Amino acid sequence: MLRHLFATGRPVLSLLRPKPLSIARFSPSLLRGLAPAASDLPHLARGMKVRSSVKRLCDGCSVVIRKGRVYVLCSRNPKHKQV
């Protein structure tokens, strides 16, 4: 079977990749039911900046060590959170 895969001119991954589904096959009423309403989406919270070297950016920033990692948390500006 491998000999057959390598003998063809097509790349191996394209033979193993599943075929994409055509959206035209689905009716619009089905697609409407798949997408969540805007009110159902969770509120997205701001994440932390991932850096190799974390530093205090203002007077409100504090350095915290948890589980062997160094975090910077800020009480004044939530954009200063770093890990």
Side-chain angles (χ1 to χ4, degrees):
M1 180 174 168
L2 288 177
R3 186 179 305 156
H4 170 70
L5 288 175
F6 290 120
T8 61
R10 301 177 66 188
V12 175
L13 291 178
S14 66
L15 294 173
L16 301 176
R17 190 175 304 140
K19 302 291 184 208
L21 292 175
S22 172
I23 294 181
R25 292 183 0 196
F26 299 108
S27 67
S29 61
L30 280 176
L31 292 176
R32 240 180 280 128
L34 294 177
S39 62
D40 295 341
L41 294 175
H43 176 69
L44 300 177
R46 184 183 304 275
M48 294 184 130
K49 295 177 183 169
V50 179
R51 296 185 171 171
S52 59
S53 173
V54 294
K55 300 171 189 161
R56 290 182 180 174
L57 300 177
C58 70
D59 292 334
C61 294
S62 59
V63 176
V64 179
I65 299 176
R66 294 180 186 160
K67 298 180 183 177
R69 291 191 179 201
V70 180
Y71 295 93
V72 174
L73 304 176
C74 187
S75 59
R76 291 187 186 172
N77 191 348
K79 289 183 180 181
H80 290 176
K81 291 192 300 187
Q82 303 168 53
V83 63

